[in-house]
Each structure stands twice: as structure tokens, then as C-alpha cells.
Amino acid sequence: MLFGYLLLGYLISGIGFLLYSFLLKKKGSPLQRKIYLYTILAVSLLLPYPLFKYVAPETSLAFIKNVETEKPELAENTIAFSEISACYNKALDEKEFCACEELEFNNIIIFQEDHFMETCLDCKSYLGPLAWILISIILSALLIRVGYLIYIVRTSRRSEFIFDGKTYTQLSNHRTPIAASFRLFKKYIIWDETLEKLTKDEKDAVYYHEIAHLKNLDTWEQICLSILRIFWFANPVFYKIRTELRLISEFLADAFAVSKTGNPQHYAALLIRLKEQQNHNLYHGFGSEDLRSRILNIIKPSPGNKSRFVSFMLASLFLMVSTGFLAAPPIKSQMKSLEQYELLHSKKSETGNAFFCKACILEELQENCNFE
């Protein structure tokens, strides 16, 4: 049922992000936007599990033919009745056909192949190995990025300095951006020697920006999002959310620096001057991300409206939860049908028969399939 869980989570996240894009993105403050995006992730991850556990249809068999499933006017001379009768007679001659004490005619079912389900099973056989390959690539990429940060620490000139009463480790390395920061077990600020040409106020502005990233744990946020990508690598909404969170982290760092320096225009001009194209997924370069959006946010920040935001959050949560409750039953029914079909298909391959005992199949489905 993992695929159904992920599919429902993808759907809920899509609804949440649509609401964000049309109603909050341009009107909410950066902090409000970040809280809401985290809410989308939390609801999309946590809600599908209880829904799949408690909102479930009754167990039934699909893709079968038997007397009970035929039309009421089914008579003994119909082709379906004759086919089931032939299978019943054949089953009586087979030893250990089922575990029932006495095989009943009404319990004989004939498995009917379905083209769509056959296609799904074929895809499933490839999706498993493909998923493991993608997960390995994502984990390897994350380890490489973390390893690169460790490499920067080890190959850079390091010096401890105190700023606003707190100690930081400054790194100098010509292979890194002019100014950037990241946080592993220590707080690191990458500082190029060319920045020494700035005035004291300008240097302080850069320091405040990078310190804001460290205070907000933005490096660990990126690491957690990279881990989450293991489960959501096929969800396009996740990549939109990750991009938005990274840009919002820059908004918050800019706002912190402006609040400390007190001059938005000078800070915006400094940002343009120090724009640096080089970037890395786990540290935040001073001039990285969407520069135009950052400049606009600095010059004309959106304060947001607290009461409207609370109302928007409650309405969005209601819509996301409602979507989950409406979508869970049909998604689980489809996943259930696929598991049923897979079991019947495998039993046909094992026995060579296309007819089975309905009572025994139902019991096996209850034992092997996750239909709480």
C-alpha cells in the first residue's frame, strides 16, 4: 500500500501548494509562507497513514466470474454456468484443490485477466528496482554534498572570530563563493579576502545575513529536505516547495540583516554588487537565489496579515483534510484491487489453473493483504 500512501500524499500536497500559489505567495510575509509550506509537508506526510488505516472499503474479490456475480437471469444453459460447472467438476477430481471440508459449487470462481492490471503489474516489476536506484542516487548525492562541506572545512584557512558576542569559524577558500555560510557541528562562515575592501557597515551587513542562515538552521533544513526527497522524488510539488523554502530563507536572512543595519537601499545595492553565481545545495551564498525577488522584498517587504493568515491556514487545512478523506477510499480500493489481482495472477502461474475456491482465496487475501 506504499504506492497508495505516496499517491494520496502527493495529491494533498498539490492542493495545498495550489492554495499557496494563488492566495498566499504574494500577500503573506516570508515567515507566514514558510510556516504554511511546512504545514503542507507535515499534513501530506502524516495524514495519509491514518486515512489508509481507518478509511477502508470492505474486502471483496474483483476480476472473477462465479454464479453469484453473474446477472440474476443466469440459467443452467448459459455459457458462464457451463464454464463454472466444468471447473467445479475438474476441481472435485483434483486432490488438495482447497482447504475446505466440502467444496461448494457457488464457491468456484474463474479468474479473468485484465489488460490494465497486467500493465500495472509489468510496471511494478520495473518500479521496484528503479526506485532503489533513484534512492541510491539521492543518498549518494547528499553524502557527496555533505562530504564537500567537510572538504571545504579541511582545505580552507580557518580562524575563530567573535561577532555580536558569539563565536564563529571563518573559512577562506578561493574555490567557494565570496560569502556563504553553513552549519554542521559548528557554525561556519565562508569569507573571501576581497570582502575586506568593504566598509565596516557593509561587512557587518554580510555577516548578519550569513548569521541569520546559521540561526535559522538552513543547512539542516536542506539536509532534511534532501532526505525527504527519497520518498517524494516523483512528486513535482515537492521540488516547487523546496525551491520556495530556499528563496524564503534568503528573504528572512535579508530581513534580519536589514533590521540590524537599518538601510534597505544600501543593503540592496550591496547585494547586487556582490552577486555570485556559484552556489551549492547545502550552503547559502550571499548573492544566490532569485536576486530580483530578493531586491523587491527588501525594498517593499510584505508584512502579511495575522488574522487573515490564521483564517487561510484553517481553511486550507480543512480543504486538504477533506481532499484526503474523499480521495482515500477510491485510491485504497484501486490499490486493493491491484493486490487482489496480483495474488490471483500469481496463483494462476503457480497452479496452472484459472479457477479457485472463493472461500480460500478470501482467507488468503485477509492474511496477506493490508486491508484494515
Side-chain angles (χ1 to χ4, degrees):
M1 302 299 285
L2 177 61
F3 180 76
Y5 164 83
L6 292 176
L7 183 61
L8 184 58
Y10 291 1
L11 179 61
I12 294 172
S13 66
I15 295 296
F17 192 76
L18 280 176
L19 295 172
Y20 167 84
S21 299
F22 288 105
L23 301 176
L24 185 65
K25 185 174 180 178
K26 294 183 179 180
K27 297 181 180 179
S29 68
L31 183 58
Q32 290 173 346
R33 290 165 61 182
K34 192 166 192 175
I35 291 172
Y36 182 74
L37 291 174
Y38 277 137
T39 301
I40 293 176
L41 292 175
V43 172
S44 302
L45 285 170
L46 301 177
L47 182 61
Y49 176 75
L51 287 180
F52 269 94
K53 186 173 179 63
Y54 299 111
V55 182
E58 296 181 359
T59 302
S60 61
L61 283 174
F63 317 108
I64 64 168
K65 181 192 294 183
N66 78 329
V67 173
E68 294 179 354
T69 59
E70 296 300 321
K71 296 180 180 180
E73 60 268 18
L74 179 69
E76 291 192 6
N77 60 349
T78 63
I79 297 176
F81 189 91
S82 301
E83 186 180 359
I84 294 172
S85 297
C87 293
Y88 175 70
N89 294 328
K90 187 175 180 181
L92 291 176
D93 296 334
E94 289 188 17
K95 294 182 179 180
E96 300 180 355
F97 174 77
C98 69
C100 299
E101 293 184 2
E102 183 177 351
L103 179 63
E104 297 182 7
F105 178 80
N106 288 346
N107 268 345
I108 290 292
I109 57 174
I110 300 175
F111 171 56
Q112 298 177 304
E113 290 191 354
D114 181 270
H115 179 71
F116 173 74
M117 287 297 176
E118 289 290 334
T119 303
C120 289
L121 289 184
D122 291 339
C123 293
K124 185 179 178 181
S125 63
Y126 294 105
L127 285 177
L130 179 61
W132 281 112
I133 292 173
L134 290 174
I135 288 171
S136 300
I137 292 173
I138 293 169
L139 283 175
S140 299
L142 175 60
L143 292 175
I144 290 172
R145 291 197 294 270
V146 173
Y148 179 62
L149 296 185
I150 296 173
Y151 170 77
I152 290 175
V153 173
R154 292 189 174 181
T155 58
S156 301
R157 295 190 304 275
R158 285 173 282 178
S159 60
E160 303 291 329
F161 73 101
I162 298 176
F163 189 84
D164 266 7
K166 295 184 179 181
T167 302
Y168 302 92
T169 300
Q170 185 167 290
L171 306 175
S172 298
N173 192 320
H174 68 277
R175 292 182 295 273
T176 56
I178 292 177
S181 60
F182 60 92
R183 182 173 186 167
L184 294 176
F185 300 106
K186 286 186 177 182
K187 303 170 184 177
Y188 298 100
I189 294 179
I190 298 173
W191 192 263
D192 192 89
E193 292 179 353
T194 57
L195 294 174
E196 295 300 328
K197 299 177 181 179
L198 300 176
T199 65
K200 182 182 182 303
D201 290 342
E202 290 174 335
K203 286 192 288 186
D204 286 350
V206 178
Y207 275 128
Y208 280 126
H209 177 96
E210 301 307 336
I211 287 170
H213 283 307
L214 299 175
K215 288 167 61 72
N216 296 336
L217 301 176
D218 289 333
T219 301
W220 286 104
E221 176 186 86
Q222 292 300 314
I223 290 175
C224 291
L225 288 174
S226 295
I227 295 173
L228 180 59
R229 186 184 172 196
I230 293 173
F231 304 97
W232 279 21
F233 62 83
N235 185 4
V237 174
F238 167 72
Y239 297 96
K240 293 286 188 179
I241 292 175
R242 188 175 67 169
T243 301
E244 282 293 306
L245 285 173
R246 191 170 180 87
L247 181 58
I248 290 170
S249 70
E250 296 298 334
F251 288 166
L252 293 173
D254 291 335
F256 180 77
V258 169
S259 69
K260 291 293 185 179
T261 59
N263 196 321
Q265 287 77 16
H266 286 180
Y267 179 82
L270 175 65
L271 187 64
I272 295 172
R273 282 167 51 200
L274 297 181
K275 185 179 186 304
E276 174 63 42
Q277 296 297 331
Q278 184 181 357
N279 194 19
H280 187 276
N281 283 343
L282 294 184
Y283 63 58
H284 293 261
F286 183 77
S288 63
E289 300 307 328
D290 189 336
L291 186 61
R292 181 177 180 275
S293 296
R294 289 174 62 185
I295 297 298
L296 290 175
N297 188 71
I298 292 167
I299 302 301
K300 191 177 180 181
S302 175
N305 184 296
K306 186 176 180 180
S307 60
R308 287 182 181 178
F309 176 68
V310 172
S311 300
F312 173 77
M313 280 284 290
L314 293 175
S316 298
L317 283 172
F318 175 78
L319 286 173
M320 285 189 283
V321 173
S322 300
T323 299
F325 271 99
L326 291 173
I331 290 177
K332 186 161 187 180
S333 293
Q334 192 63 32
M335 294 302 103
K336 173 183 169 183
S337 296
L338 180 59
E339 290 194 23
Q340 291 175 356
Y341 189 88
E342 186 175 13
L343 175 62
L344 292 169
H345 184 275
S346 64
K347 291 190 73 68
K348 179 184 177 183
S349 300
E350 292 171 6
T351 63
N353 291 334
F355 55 94
F356 310 100
C357 172
K358 182 179 180 180
C360 295
I361 289 294
L362 281 173
E363 185 177 349
E364 192 169 347
L365 283 170
Q366 292 285 5
E367 292 175 357
N368 298 337
C369 298
N370 251 340
F371 304 136
E372 292 91 343

